Amino acid sequence: MGVSVSPRRSGREGGWLRGAPAPRWMRGLPVALLVGVCAVELASPEPLDIGFLLGAIPSLAVLSYGPVATAAFGCVVVALLSLPVLRLDHPGNVDLLTVVFVALLSVLVTLVRSRRDAQLVTVRSVAEAVQLAVLPPLPERVGVVRCAGLYRAAQRGTLVGGDFFEVRDGPHGVRALMGDVQGHGLSAVGTVASLLGAFREAVLDQRDLETVAARLDRRLVVDSAATEHAELFATAVLLEFSGDGGGVRVVSCGHPHPLLLRGGTVVEVEVEAGTPLGLGLLDAAAPTGRTLRLDPGDRLFLASDGVSEARDESGAFYPLAERLAALAAEPTASLTERVWDDLMRFCPSVDDDVTMLVLAPRATRVPGHTDADGEETHAPGGRSSGGE
């Protein structure tokens, strides 16, 4: 279980032409060309005019080797061109000087590239550390709730964008948050960090979920006060599980509603949609939450609009509830990945941040009753399932 956070999109991003390490075949190309030219020349009964191909070897080495190896390739090429037995065009002084110049230039380029690569690795490491501090890995279990999440940032090369989620245990029970800041990419990371910080404090201080939502709303209002026409807002849904895991309270601030997985059925949890965070309206018109009682084995599935609003080539929206019902037998730990794979088959070009969160509460033990994870479920203290 836990959270899967990645900037890549099923192999469509992160190729070696976009900054990833060179593939093995690229590293072997200079050696293959060197051996191939020499073998063909030695096998031919007549001299062949192919020695010029060796001049490309130092340039190819630049792509995947360091300065020392590139210089070694250059020396080998010059030596081979000078061996009479190979009959590689019998190059004159001008030809040899050209090859030497290309080799020296290749070494210089490799030195620059190696320093740049080292700087990029450092910057990338720092960026990943900062981004993971904003959205740390989700524990397998928080209090009485088992958790699994998935995050795919829309902006290539980033781990965090405009979506966010968090699950925290506190004095008033386990509380969960999922939201979506206006916009996505690096420009939204600061707002995400601010909201998550406010939520983590509110989990400890605020007695009810509606007040937690008001605290987040005030945080965004304060953050955007110094900027004229900031229009900073975020949608969010907040959940609070009872101490025995037998009930959950849901408060919505304009975010897509959670889905309740009960057996093989999927039902949308209907809750009054409050105003988004950051508009300053929650103090005057606090959102009205809804409390649900949960059966043993019930799970809640939360997703951002990057999932529900994804479209295929014909323009049809991804049928999340329908697809989720077909995958309801999947264990909690792998459910988000299976939905992601299904989403990629339905809509190969998802251009928005995608976030999914599965929450599986547990309560009093029910002998002999197992859930989708194959674990013995816990009943909510004899309380019946139902609505508010």
Side-chain angles (χ1 to χ4, degrees):
M1 297 180 188
V3 59
S4 171
V5 182
S6 172
R8 299 185 64 176
R9 292 296 180 90
S10 299
R12 296 196 312 276
E13 299 180 3
W16 67 275
L17 290 175
R18 292 170 173 163
R24 291 183 177 180
W25 64 265
M26 179 62 70
R27 292 183 60 85
L29 192 57
V31 177
L33 182 59
L34 188 67
V35 174
V37 170
C38 294
V40 171
E41 187 67 40
L42 289 173
S44 173
E46 298 293 333
L48 298 176
D49 189 19
I50 60 173
F52 69 93
L53 294 175
L54 296 181
I57 290 179
S59 300
L60 290 175
V62 169
L63 298 175
S64 51
Y65 287 93
V68 175
T70 302
F73 275 116
C75 293
V76 170
V77 168
V78 172
L80 291 176
L81 288 174
S82 303
L83 288 177
V85 67
L86 291 178
R87 302 170 299 173
L88 292 171
D89 301 342
H90 301 288
N93 291 333
V94 175
D95 295 328
L96 277 177
L97 287 176
T98 301
V99 173
V100 171
F101 175 76
V102 171
L104 291 175
L105 186 61
S106 299
V107 172
L108 178 62
V109 172
T110 307
L111 283 169
V112 174
R113 194 215 71 204
S114 298
R115 291 181 61 87
R116 182 67 58 84
D117 287 349
Q119 292 175 346
L120 290 176
V121 168
T122 301
V123 171
R124 174 69 179 180
S125 298
V126 172
E128 288 185 358
V130 172
Q131 292 174 332
L132 289 176
V134 173
L135 191 66
L138 189 66
E140 294 182 1
R141 187 184 306 279
V142 179
V144 297
V145 179
R146 285 174 293 165
C147 313
L150 179 141
Y151 195 107
R152 295 292 188 270
Q155 184 169 336
R156 184 170 60 242
T158 63
L159 298 180
V160 180
D163 287 359
F164 57 93
F165 59 80
E166 181 64 293
V167 183
R168 287 282 172 131
D169 197 1
H172 311 292
V174 176
R175 288 171 170 171
L177 167 70
M178 174 176 281
D180 183 1
V181 172
Q182 174 198 21
H184 55 76
L186 295 177
S187 61
V189 173
T191 304
V192 168
S194 181
L195 282 172
L196 288 175
F199 174 75
R200 289 158 186 163
E201 292 183 1
V203 165
L204 303 176
D205 300 335
Q206 305 302 320
R207 290 186 172 274
D208 60 82
L209 210 55
E210 287 80 1
T211 309
V212 174
R215 173 72 69 87
L216 300 181
D217 177 67
R218 185 176 64 180
R219 179 72 269 167
L220 279 189
V221 171
V222 171
D223 288 348
S224 60
T227 304
E228 186 177 2
H229 307 301
E231 298 181 354
L232 183 63
F233 67 91
T235 62
V237 60
L238 299 93
L239 298 91
E240 179 182 282
F241 292 89
S242 60
D244 63 356
V248 60
R249 185 162 183 80
V250 183
V251 171
S252 174
C253 299
H255 198 75
H257 295 164
L259 298 174
L260 175 64
L261 284 75
R262 176 168 291 168
T265 63
V266 176
V267 180
E268 185 178 86
V269 177
E270 295 184 1
V271 58
E272 180 179 334
T275 57
L277 305 173
L279 303 181
L281 303 176
L282 266 64
D283 286 333
T288 301
R290 178 185 179 187
T291 300
L292 296 175
R293 295 175 181 174
L294 300 174
D295 286 344
D298 283 355
R299 293 180 290 177
L300 291 164
F301 187 94
L302 289 73
S304 64
D305 56 10
V307 179
S308 57
E309 295 182 2
R311 303 187 185 212
D312 63 7
E313 296 179 353
S314 68
F317 288 106
Y318 178 70
L320 176 57
E322 176 184 330
R323 299 300 183 96
L324 193 58
L327 299 172
E330 287 290 323
T332 300
S334 60
L335 181 58
T336 56
E337 289 287 353
R338 289 296 306 275
V339 175
W340 168 255
D341 292 340
D342 186 65
L343 178 64
M344 286 295 92
R345 288 190 292 269
F346 181 86
C347 179
S349 58
V350 177
D351 298 323
D352 197 1
D353 297 329
V354 169
T355 310
M356 305 178 206
L357 184 62
V358 182
L359 303 172
R362 307 177 70 192
T364 308
R365 188 174 298 276
V366 179
H369 192 290
T370 58
D371 60 11
D373 300 317
E375 298 185 17
E376 197 169 90
T377 59
H378 293 202
R383 297 166 65 184
S384 60
S385 64
E388 189 172 3

